[in-house]
Structure formats: structure tokens, C-alpha cells
Amino acid sequence: MPLETLPATDGQLNAGRPIDRDAIAEIFAEIALEAGVAVMAVYASDCHARRKPDKSPVCDADEYAEAIILERLAARLPHLPVLAEEAAAHGQNAVSGSTFILVDPVDGTREFLSRNGEFTINIGLIVDGAPQAGVVYAPALGQLWIGGASAYACMVAPGAALPPPHQRRRIHVRPAPPQGLTALESRSHSDPETEAFLAQLPIKERRAAGSSLKFCAVAEGDADVYPRFGQTMEWDTAAGDAILRAAGGMVLDRERHPLQYGKVGAQFRNGPFVAWGDPNAIVR
């Protein structure tokens, strides 16, 4: 279904009229701010960390936030199927059609457990294999990034009202600095392939960061490239990818094609990718 024909079902919109990417992103942002309250309540207490069957960590914050997000999405965007990380971990990973929502209730659970603040709530809209709207919210930092037709950032506390558009800062990727690139690396995942890739580039500075914050840093012109060769899932990347694309950047796979979503045959796993700000900096 083309995005322009998605029906508006939220009470704050005119029912029956077309809905755009920015309207979807606004809904995502309001839901993420609400989920942030539950996440931060767990952050301030015992989070009951445990391991999923795939050995990745999970805690109460993941499950509480996902429950809130799924309930709100069902009420406000009932026409859109949703694939969420914790539900998928329990075998609920079926989505129908080419338009659906991806949810990662706490991206960067390791960062959450280490209490460094570098974790996010991610909600992204996929249409025909591409991310068209997304929200990344870092509740411990009070930072929100929104991507639709354009990309914006603002400061807002968990549970607070979403700031109106005039109180948000429009963001855009930067041209590759002539003095060298700033590269972002995963704080919790490193590998020799990343080192080999970065050795090809004129890197001036390297920084480590957690979760989808790396996409957002490239989107707002604070960094230039973020390579990831280890395994990720589509819900890990969709929201940040949407924001970066809205800000003028791109996320490319190993064949230098835009990263695709809805990979049912791969069980929604991503292959290697590189997030770029300036297209002119891409290694050919």
C-alpha cells in the first residue's frame, strides 16, 4: 500500500484522510515519550536482567516498554501490523504486507544494564522495504530524534508533552570534512572487519557509542560514518535509518544498496551495513 494512501485512524487526525510520514512520526514520538517513563522507572530500580534463548540480555524495561508501545500502536494505528523485538523472541514474528512497524523497546540493553545512559527506544515505519518514518528516544539523556519527510531533534523528559515543531531543531548530515572523517563504533560490539574497513578511510577521529545513537549522530552532522559488520536485527536499525535518510544520509549494505527491510526469509536479520552522512565520502 503506498504511504500516501494510509488511512488516518488516530483521533487527533481527520479520520479517513491520507496520513503522511510526519504524522506517523509524531504518533511514534508521543508513544516513545510515554514508554520512556516505564523504562526510567526500571532504570532507577532492580531491572531483573536475564538471558533470552539467543543469549542476548533482556530486562523488565524491555518488556514493560514494549507492552506500552504495542498497546498504544494498536489504539492509534490499528491498520498497521507490528513486529516487536520481545514478541519476536517468543515466536510472534509474522507480519503481513509490505507496510508494517518495527519496535525495539530498549535498544542497547547492555548500555542500560551498565547504567551509561546510551540506550534508546526505537519505533520505525517500513513501506516497501524502506524505512519511511522513525523515532529514536534516549530517555536517560532526554533527547528525541524524529524522522519523516525531514529530520528533527529536541530535548524532552520522559512523560512530558512532545514539543511543538517550532521548538525542535532541524537536522541534516554534514559534508565530509576535508581534514578527515569522524567514525562511530559500537561500544559493545567490535570486530576485525570493522578495523579493516576503517583503515581504508581518511579517519581523523573515532568514537564509541551505544544503540541507535550512532545513526542520530551522523544524521545531525556530529559524525560521518558508522560501519556495522556484526549481526543486527531490523528493529535495531529501522528507526535510526529512517532518521538518517530524512536528514540526507544513507545506510548501505555490502553491495552498496540501501539497506532493505522485511527480510522474512532471513528472519529479519540484517547483513553488514555502513551508515554514511555525505554520499561523496562513500568508498567505491
Side-chain angles (χ1 to χ4, degrees):
M1 179 187 302
L3 186 62
E4 290 74 18
T5 65
L6 289 177
T9 58
D10 180 67
Q12 297 182 12
L13 301 171
N14 294 321
R17 294 178 64 86
I19 190 170
D20 60 22
R21 290 183 289 167
D22 290 326
I24 291 278
E26 293 273 320
I27 293 171
F28 289 172
E30 292 171 0
I31 294 172
L33 290 174
E34 182 178 354
V37 176
V39 169
M40 293 308 296
V42 176
Y43 194 60
S45 63
D46 185 353
C47 57
H48 300 109
R50 49 208 179 270
R51 295 280 176 178
K52 291 188 282 191
D54 65 0
K55 307 302 180 184
S56 63
V58 64
C59 69
D60 288 350
D62 299 86
E63 296 178 349
Y64 295 168
E66 183 165 301
I68 291 170
I69 294 168
L70 293 180
E71 181 179 351
R72 298 298 182 264
L73 288 173
R76 303 189 66 179
L77 296 168
H79 57 294
L80 293 176
V82 182
L83 177 62
E85 179 179 12
E86 302 315 320
H90 291 91
Q92 302 172 34
N93 59 357
V95 291
S96 58
S98 61
T99 301
F100 60 97
I101 296 170
L102 286 166
V103 173
D104 190 343
V106 179
D107 182 35
T109 303
R110 290 179 177 86
E111 277 62 51
F112 182 94
L113 297 175
S114 67
R115 299 296 199 276
N116 69 11
E118 294 183 354
F119 55 89
T120 58
I121 297 168
N122 300 343
I123 310 175
L125 172 70
I126 303 301
V127 180
D128 295 332
Q132 296 289 344
V135 162
V136 171
Y137 182 46
L141 306 177
Q143 292 182 281
L144 176 70
W145 293 267
I146 304 173
S150 300
Y152 298 87
C154 61
M155 301 295 297
V156 55
L162 177 64
H166 71 272
Q167 293 182 9
R168 307 172 199 168
R169 175 172 51 90
R170 188 166 180 172
I171 61 175
H172 199 275
V173 299
R174 69 184 182 185
Q179 64 270 29
L181 306 178
T182 295
L184 296 176
E185 307 168 75
S186 175
R187 188 178 298 284
S188 300
H189 307 275
S190 61
D191 56 80
E193 194 169 2
T194 298
E195 296 297 322
F197 174 80
L198 292 176
Q200 307 174 66
L201 300 176
I203 302 298
K204 178 185 178 183
E205 180 185 7
R206 294 171 60 164
R207 299 202 305 263
S211 69
S212 291
L213 293 173
K214 297 180 286 295
F215 290 103
C216 298
V218 177
E220 58 183 326
D222 191 43
D224 305 291
V225 60
Y226 159 44
R228 182 63 184 270
F229 296 101
Q231 180 177 297
T232 60
M233 304 300 290
E234 292 187 11
W235 48 75
D236 295 318
T237 61
D241 191 348
I243 292 164
L244 180 54
R245 295 191 197 199
M250 61 189 69
V251 181
L252 303 181
D253 63 19
R254 194 184 290 276
E255 286 72 42
R256 299 187 181 90
H257 299 143
L259 191 63
Q260 289 289 302
Y261 293 81
K263 300 182 291 293
V264 177
Q267 297 182 310
F268 302 96
R269 293 186 178 89
N270 292 321
F273 65 81
V274 181
W276 296 94
D278 185 354
N280 294 318
I282 296 174
V283 175
R284 299 297 178 182

